[in-house]
Amino acid sequence: MDAAITYLDHAASTPMRAEAIEAMTPFYAGVYANPSGSHRFARRARRAIDEARDVVADVAGCRPNEVVFTGCGTESDNMAISGAVERLGGVAVCSAAEHHAVLHVVESVHGAVVGVDAYGRLDLDELERTLAAIVARGEQVSVVSVMAVNNEVGTVTDIAAAARVVRRMAPDALVHTDAVQAPCWLDLREITPHVDLLSLSAHKFGGPKGVGVLVERGGPRVAPLIIGGGQERERRSGTHNVAGIVALAEALRLTDIERDAERERLAELRDRLVAGIVDELDDVIETIPADAAVEKVAGSAHLCVGGVESEALLYLLDEADVCASAASACASGAMEPSHVLAAMGVDREVALGALRLSLGHTTTQADVDRGVDVIVAAVQRLRGHGRR
Ligand code: PLP
């Protein structure tokens, strides 16, 4: 990466791990055979996928044949929701703080959206009422989707508690979790047993873009999204991205090994980052305060900066080679405040000053200190010119 860049946008995408790049390289110019072929060259590629599947299963806490490789996290989320509705009929349900890869699919099938609390956690009472109402009008619930870690504010959801409500109120429904933001912070083995479906995306943990996983526990649970050659045991057709799958597995394996140490290291850096900004500037709130009784991931700092608009702030940060974002990457650039902050009840005016800073495996103290200096200077400059 360009040494001048201060990268504080790991929730949008992480730099690839050198080991993952090394692991994938032989599958471009060397072992380029189609893994579905019958010759021994093809079998080498297929073996690499099988080995990757074993690694993913170990880290995700499932069986290898429950791992389906997909083209990205969005595809995994889409397959979980659309595939459940296609196979089971009935109503899809999700939380209002979901990534659009879930929320827009649930909305497109006229599903139900359940509110969240001021910290972005699913409102379990409202979930219970929503499921009861669907069942009472004689309909079935096909899938309930609740994200493990929120991509904007970093809140961790108690998936076990959400799953308990679903099992009690709608026992035939599938439970899906979008765990795309989870692997760097949470042990997936503690989440997977509570769900039927779990989505991952390699580029959020040091792997490449364009490869993901859908864990389907207990065999095929949902209809495939992509049909054709019947790869992935008919669950996801399309020639495998062998290099991407190999790199995903290597990145996930290392993420799992380093998780505890990284969590500790990055929590300290995150606190230093937030304190550095809040101590220097008035009218900046940590959206989920450090002392709130809510679990949030170590790499996530979300601030609402009074008197500035995110767009203008991000522009100045960009000019100074500091990478950050306002809402999710897909929404940045839009003037509408984030749907997550709106669902949390954050005042629109406050939400317009949202700043998401996210740390990860390459973040150093020098990044954090430079980030503080640049952000403080940019806010002061904007406040000197703009509204206060
Ligand atoms: N779900 C969450 C929570 C995310 O943060 C993202 C990416 O921003 C996605 C899904 C989509 O993943 P992908 O970029 O692999 O399509």
Side-chain angles (χ1 to χ4, degrees):
M1 189 170 59
D2 184 343
I5 297 271
T6 299
Y7 189 74
L8 298 173
D9 205 13
H10 283 251
S13 197
T14 52
M16 274 192 74
R17 286 171 177 272
E19 300 89 339
I21 296 174
E22 198 181 321
M24 79 196 297
T25 304
F27 296 92
Y28 285 120
V31 187
Y32 49 77
N34 188 322
S36 301
S38 56
H39 41 76
R40 94 178 43 163
F41 195 28
R43 282 200 298 278
R44 269 175 65 192
R46 192 150 68 241
R47 202 172 320 120
I49 295 176
D50 289 344
E51 285 166 11
R53 199 185 303 283
D54 288 346
V55 170
V56 172
D58 175 41
V59 178
C62 65
R63 293 200 299 269
N65 66 4
E66 295 174 326
V67 173
V68 179
F69 290 113
T70 65
C72 57
T74 300
E75 184 191 322
S76 303
D77 286 345
N78 274 242
M79 179 172 163
I81 310 296
S82 314
V85 172
E86 188 179 329
R87 177 169 271 206
L88 304 170
V91 182
V93 177
C94 73
S95 104
E98 295 300 311
H99 189 277
H100 285 142
V102 167
L103 188 59
H104 284 170
V105 188
V106 169
E107 287 168 352
S108 77
V109 294
H110 310 292
V113 177
V114 176
V116 295
D117 68 11
Y119 302 127
R121 291 175 302 187
L122 180 73
D123 180 334
L124 292 178
D125 293 333
E126 190 180 325
L127 174 65
E128 183 167 336
R129 287 195 300 276
T130 303
L131 298 178
I134 295 168
V135 173
R137 53 176 201 256
E139 288 187 86
Q140 194 185 331
V141 180
S142 48
V143 60
V144 178
S145 184
V146 185
M147 70 202 316
V149 174
N150 184 271
N151 51 300
E152 290 188 30
V153 293
T155 308
V156 175
T157 295
D158 184 346
I159 297 296
R164 274 196 297 277
V165 173
V166 180
R167 306 297 184 210
R168 182 158 46 82
M169 302 302 296
D172 295 331
L174 297 174
V175 176
H176 168 246
T177 189
D178 174 342
V180 165
Q181 293 285 345
C184 294
W185 320 111
L186 305 177
D187 186 345
L188 300 175
R189 300 173 191 88
E190 292 171 12
I191 299 174
T192 304
H194 302 289
V195 302
D196 304 296
L197 304 160
L198 179 143
S199 301
L200 299 174
S201 173
H203 75 104
K204 306 291 185 176
F205 50 81
K209 292 162 189 64
V211 57
V213 167
L214 181 67
V215 172
E216 271 189 290
R217 291 188 63 236
R221 311 298 298 270
V222 299
L225 196 63
I226 299 180
I227 52 177
Q231 287 88 344
E232 292 296 273
R233 301 166 311 288
E234 306 285 345
R235 292 191 244 174
R236 201 283 189 180
S237 287
T239 301
H240 289 95
N241 173 1
V242 186
I245 289 168
V246 167
L248 176 150
E250 180 62 358
L252 190 61
R253 188 182 72 78
L254 294 170
T255 298
D256 185 48
I257 292 170
E258 294 170 10
R259 186 184 300 111
D260 288 350
E262 278 294 86
R263 247 189 338 215
E264 208 172 303
R265 185 182 77 85
L266 291 168
E268 267 179 35
L269 288 183
R270 189 265 317 271
D271 292 348
R272 182 182 177 99
L273 177 64
V274 172
I277 297 168
V278 171
D279 289 352
E280 285 292 321
L281 296 170
D282 295 335
D283 196 13
V284 176
I285 53 168
E286 195 178 4
T287 315
I288 311 242
D291 57 1
V294 58
E295 192 186 349
K296 64 176 175 175
V297 296
S300 165
H302 193 284
L303 305 171
C304 288
V305 184
V308 304
E309 275 169 5
S310 312
E311 295 232 320
L313 179 54
L314 289 178
Y315 179 80
L316 289 187
L317 299 189
D318 187 30
E319 277 201 322
D321 286 329
V322 170
C323 305
S325 69
S328 57
C330 348
S332 61
M335 273 307 282
E336 272 307 295
S338 113
H339 72 282
V340 174
L341 298 183
M344 288 163 55
V346 176
D347 187 72
R348 186 188 149 87
E349 193 67 9
V350 173
L352 284 175
L355 178 65
R356 181 184 74 176
L357 305 165
S358 48
L359 284 50
H361 70 101
T362 55
T363 308
T364 62
Q365 187 170 313
D367 290 329
V368 165
D369 292 346
R370 178 158 191 276
V372 171
D373 289 347
V374 171
I375 291 163
V376 168
V379 172
Q380 283 168 341
R381 186 170 150 200
L382 287 169
R383 284 181 176 167
H385 295 291
R387 64 196 177 95
R388 283 194 74 87

